[in-house]
Amino acid sequence: MNKIVLHLATAGLLLTAGSCYAVGALSFSSEETVDSSPATVWKYVGDFNGFDLWHPQVRSSTVKGTDNKAGAVRTLKLSDGSELVEKLLKYSAADTSYTYTSLKGPFPIKNYVATISVSPTADGKTLMKWSATFDAVNIDEDIATEMVAIALNGGLGKVVTNFQKPGAPDGASAPAPAAAASAAPAP
């Protein structure tokens, strides 16, 4: 009996190890309320190959593989000329979320895994969340976290601004300041 349990446990660990990526020790999460329905916001942000449509630091996005299917790899050209290569780990249109990892990029971080999701609020708007785990590479952990925060908040701020109703008071949804949004590209 113990041999069977040991073999099953070993097999499970090997399958798990082969199908996932390292999760970093650091994390950052941000969320914003967007003044539109979840279905509309998901159409805007839900395409894995559509970052160039809504993130202010992404100039173009190309994908290899089937877009919005686990295993697809996108290459993002950033406004500073650098490149990010990211792989889609999980995509769920039904849950309006996807998770991806960074394979290559200009940032001093590794083990970057992020999830973007949208969900309804009680008043018919959308709560958009973007969270990431990562490790710092040869820089202070606080600086690495700030870099990720700037990138995520820059993208969220752009989405909020895109859906802000005309005549809404400034700061109604408080998007990230323009200077902060342009300080670091999207990881």
Side-chain angles (χ1 to χ4, degrees):
M1 175 84 170
N2 284 343
K3 281 186 179 183
I4 293 172
V5 172
L6 180 61
H7 287 293
L8 288 174
T10 302
L13 287 172
L14 289 173
L15 286 172
T16 303
S19 66
C20 66
Y21 286 81
V23 175
L26 303 173
S27 65
F28 180 81
S29 185
S30 191
E31 59 186 42
E32 288 285 348
T33 300
V34 183
D35 196 11
S36 191
S37 71
T40 301
V41 175
W42 184 246
K43 283 181 188 176
Y44 188 56
V45 302
D47 182 7
F48 180 64
N49 191 36
F51 251 48
D52 55 333
L53 300 175
W54 62 270
H55 199 289
Q57 294 302 315
V58 177
R59 297 297 164 238
S60 68
S61 180
T62 56
V63 71
K64 290 182 182 178
T66 303
D67 192 20
N68 298 333
K69 298 282 185 201
V73 175
R74 70 178 173 201
T75 300
L76 304 174
K77 301 276 186 187
L78 306 178
S79 60
D80 67 357
S82 61
E83 229 179 54
L84 270 170
V85 179
E86 299 173 328
K87 183 176 183 177
L88 185 60
L89 300 176
K90 181 181 176 188
Y91 185 91
S92 176
D95 295 332
T96 56
S97 71
Y98 63 88
T99 300
Y100 63 95
T101 188
S102 179
L103 302 176
K104 177 184 128 186
F107 306 105
I109 58 175
K110 65 179 182 178
N111 300 326
Y112 179 86
V113 177
T115 299
I116 292 175
S117 66
V118 301
S119 58
T121 63
D123 59 357
K125 297 179 182 181
T126 299
L127 182 65
M128 182 174 170
K129 295 180 184 180
W130 195 353
S131 59
T133 59
F134 52 94
D135 290 315
V137 177
N138 299 322
I139 63 169
D140 183 84
E141 291 178 348
D142 290 339
I143 293 171
T145 301
E146 178 145 348
M147 290 174 68
V148 171
I150 289 169
L152 274 57
N153 286 332
L156 287 171
K158 175 71 172 171
V159 173
V160 168
T161 299
N162 184 68
F163 288 101
Q164 193 169 24
K165 303 287 188 227
D170 287 344
S173 292
S182 63

